[in-house]
Amino acid sequence: MDTIKRRYDISPYYEGWFQLGWSRDLARGQLKKVRQFGTTYTMFRGEDGIVGVIDDICPHLGAHFSEGGCVRGNAVRCPYHNWSFARDGRCVDIPYSTKIPVKARVVGHTVAERDDMIFMYRSANGGPPKTPLPRIENFDASEFCAPERYEFSIRIHGQDIMENSVDGPHFMAVHRHSLPEFVFREDQGSLRVSQQMSVARFGTTIDFRLEFHLVEPGFHYVHFPKLPGTTALVFSSIVPIDEEYTSHRMTFFVKKTSVPGWSQVVRRFLIWQMMKTYREDMRIWENKEYQSHPVLCDGDGSIIKLRRWFAGFLDPKEPALPGPTRLPISSGVG
Ligand code: FES
Ligand SMILES: [Fe+2]
């Protein structure tokens, strides 16, 4: 049998805090299946309002909690024989037995909620978080309009998505912008990137300044400090789905202004602009080959800086597998 080469020779999975969804989409007593990191999880909100994320497969006879299970109190009840599991993964109830086996537990993951987003910490060995959930600097959600959310499933490794945002020459070739000027700074394990560029739109030229703060692959954001009459922030989380596909969740915040409706105008423009560039990138992303040793010229310096930073989060390398595997997913905008 032929061995099919993996598309990427770097690990498909990486460590850190990852956004799994938005708080408003998970009501008290609700349960959802989440497909990430080559597996599925059950994400739920207990009757006490607190979110839990546990591994999806029941240790009893293997039913998936997310296929017909439900929330009872602050635990998930398995659909097959109604065993219940708490947020820490312990079995807390077996309706037909007075003794709960010691091994009746699944992995309960570390979860945090902030700014209308739900995050989970993921590490290769299941260890505890190395850091608390990072904070978005210079940001108070109460000063911003209700955010708009987008979610994509893309056939690409997360590193390629992040690399794209610091790949200056492609802004000219693919997006027809000016060649951006980048200023890079490493800051306690994070990357700060200032980007200045101009975009020709509506018969005029609009100057943009973007201040990226790449804290982790699953937690990064960009401030737009110089939009006309306001400022904006786009939060991003790039989460592996499996060995081929990646979720990209984006949340757009525009600061409230005293002019009625102006924030919405700016938000529409920002989203239109970003979605346009995103669609332009997507066709290339989903079909490109990963070059682990790319031939670069002196205008490509940021790519190597980005790859070095990303490598610090990748799982230890595994032996090559005989071909990619992937879960069935649907692609689209949420
Ligand atoms: S398989 Fe879950 S309770 Fe039996
Ligand atoms: Fe791009």
Side-chain angles (χ1 to χ4, degrees):
M1 190 177 79
D2 288 343
T3 298
I4 304 166
K5 185 178 164 289
R6 261 189 182 172
R7 187 172 175 219
Y8 289 89
D9 64 357
I10 51 176
S11 172
Y13 303 129
Y14 32 93
E15 175 157 2
W17 287 96
F18 296 93
Q19 188 199 348
L20 297 187
W22 287 273
S23 301
R24 71 181 74 176
D25 296 337
L26 192 67
R28 280 174 199 251
Q30 195 180 358
L31 169 157
K32 283 189 171 185
K33 182 195 289 285
V34 177
R35 296 177 194 275
Q36 310 281 183
F37 307 107
T39 187
T40 62
Y41 303 94
T42 301
M43 177 168 78
F44 66 103
R45 193 183 293 280
E47 299 298 348
D48 59 2
I50 299 173
V51 178
V53 175
I54 60 176
D55 281 0
D56 197 26
I57 299 174
C58 183
H60 180 216
L61 287 171
H64 280 232
F65 301 132
S66 61
E67 294 293 338
C70 59
V71 177
R72 283 287 175 272
N74 299 318
V76 169
R77 195 166 79 178
C78 178
Y80 206 3
H81 312 91
N82 288 353
W83 292 23
S84 289
F85 294 82
R87 280 184 286 261
D88 64 3
R90 271 182 316 110
C91 178
V92 289
D93 184 50
I94 299 176
Y96 53 88
S97 174
T98 49
K99 255 188 155 178
I100 296 177
V102 181
K103 288 187 177 169
R105 60 181 309 146
V106 291
V107 177
H109 299 272
T110 305
V111 175
E113 260 189 301
R114 195 183 294 150
D115 300 328
D116 193 37
M117 298 180 275
I118 301 170
F119 296 89
M120 174 188 118
Y121 191 86
R122 184 260 171 201
S123 69
N125 59 12
K130 288 182 181 159
T131 58
L133 179 67
R135 286 193 176 275
I136 304 174
E137 291 176 355
N138 305 319
F139 176 69
D140 175 352
S142 67
E143 296 175 355
F144 287 72
C145 301
E148 198 148 329
R149 299 92 45 81
Y150 288 83
E151 179 170 353
F152 291 91
S153 299
I154 314 161
R155 181 177 175 267
I156 195 173
H157 191 291
Q159 179 182 284
D160 268 346
I161 300 178
M162 299 199 74
E163 196 173 290
N164 178 270
S165 60
V166 299
D167 171 1
H170 101 281
F171 282 95
M172 289 194 307
V174 180
H175 307 311
R176 295 171 301 286
H177 299 172
S178 63
L179 181 64
E181 290 170 30
F182 285 109
V183 179
F184 258 78
R185 188 158 61 86
E186 290 180 33
D187 183 10
Q188 299 173 25
S190 71
L191 282 182
R192 294 181 188 275
V193 188
S194 296
Q195 181 181 342
Q196 182 76 44
M197 65 181 186
S198 14
V199 180
R201 291 284 180 267
F202 313 124
T204 181
T205 300
I206 303 166
D207 284 329
F208 273 100
R209 200 170 101 222
L210 296 84
E211 299 286 350
F212 289 93
H213 190 198
L214 312 181
V215 185
E216 300 180 359
F219 194 106
H220 51 103
Y221 52 92
V222 52
H223 279 286
F224 293 81
K226 286 177 77 174
L227 293 173
T230 188
T231 65
L233 174 122
V234 181
F235 180 85
S236 270
S237 190
I238 292 175
V239 196
I241 295 173
D242 56 31
E243 295 193 8
E244 283 223 62
Y245 280 77
T246 296
S247 303
H248 188 180
R249 301 191 170 97
M250 285 184 277
T251 310
F252 291 75
F253 296 90
V254 175
K255 204 162 191 175
K256 295 170 187 164
T257 64
S258 53
V259 180
W262 183 244
S263 300
Q264 282 70 22
V265 171
V266 172
R267 184 169 65 186
R268 293 276 29 112
F269 170 71
L270 192 63
I271 290 172
W272 174 80
Q273 177 65 36
M274 288 192 73
M275 290 303 127
K276 178 179 171 298
T277 59
Y278 209 82
R279 277 190 296 274
E280 289 165 350
D281 284 325
M282 191 97 82
R283 183 170 172 204
I284 294 174
W285 287 349
E286 292 210 317
N287 295 289
K288 74 193 283 289
E289 298 293 323
Y290 180 66
Q291 300 285 16
S292 48
H293 300 287
V295 179
L296 298 173
C297 67
D298 59 3
D300 291 327
S302 313
I303 289 179
I304 295 302
K305 287 180 186 150
L306 191 286
R307 286 192 182 187
R308 279 202 197 110
W309 171 77
F310 204 104
F313 298 94
L314 289 170
D315 286 0
K317 213 168 165 189
E318 309 152 46
L321 294 176
T325 55
R326 77 178 183 84
L327 299 164
I329 52 152
S330 59
S331 172
V333 181

